[in-house]
Amino acid sequence: LDVGMSAWYAEGGIRLIGSRHATIRPYVEATAGVARLNPTVGVDGWVGALTNTGLAFLSRTEPLVGAGGGVMVQGGPVVVDLGYRYKKIFASSGLASAFSLGADGFNVNQVRVGVGLRF
């Protein structure tokens, strides 16, 4: 039996970046939004299909906040972004609370690495 809860985010925020003319630019950011939580059960056959159809009615949208920081390193047109993000999904419904084992929502920790080209 495989039980899970997936989340889709929609969020916006603000990022404060160091000098645009420096090679190494630290930044901090704050975000807020919503997360759509979808419970699923991994069972084969018609039992799994029926169970997941029923669980679809228990999907919830919960508030989400986040904070993070990092550093952008630029060399010519290439930019490397190294950062950390912390997100908190406030799960108030009974099912989401059960999936988070009684905790007050879900905590998400992310380490990010990005590479970009500036024109």
Side-chain angles (χ1 to χ4, degrees):
L1 182 64
D2 182 23
V3 178
M5 171 107 41
S6 64
W8 288 90
Y9 304 164
E11 62 184 335
I14 186 167
R15 179 186 275 192
L16 302 173
I17 303 175
S19 172
R20 294 186 61 84
H21 303 292
T23 302
I24 299 174
R25 298 179 298 182
Y27 65 85
V28 295
E29 66 181 30
T31 61
V34 294
R36 182 70 175 171
L37 302 175
N38 300 305
T40 59
V41 176
V43 178
D44 292 333
W46 65 271
V47 173
L50 186 63
T51 303
N52 285 321
T53 301
L55 285 174
F57 290 103
L58 299 176
S59 295
R60 295 283 181 259
T61 301
E62 302 288 351
L64 162 76
V65 296
V71 64
M72 292 173 61
V73 181
Q74 184 169 356
V78 178
V79 179
V80 176
D81 183 353
L82 306 169
Y84 169 79
R85 311 295 189 278
Y86 171 79
K87 304 219 183 282
K88 173 76 173 179
I89 301 172
F90 297 98
S92 59
S93 68
L95 183 65
S97 181
F99 271 85
S100 65
L101 300 177
D104 182 29
F106 299 94
N107 299 319
V108 180
N109 295 283
Q110 303 170 334
V111 175
R112 294 184 173 186
V113 177
V115 178
L117 293 174
R118 292 194 179 240
F119 298 96

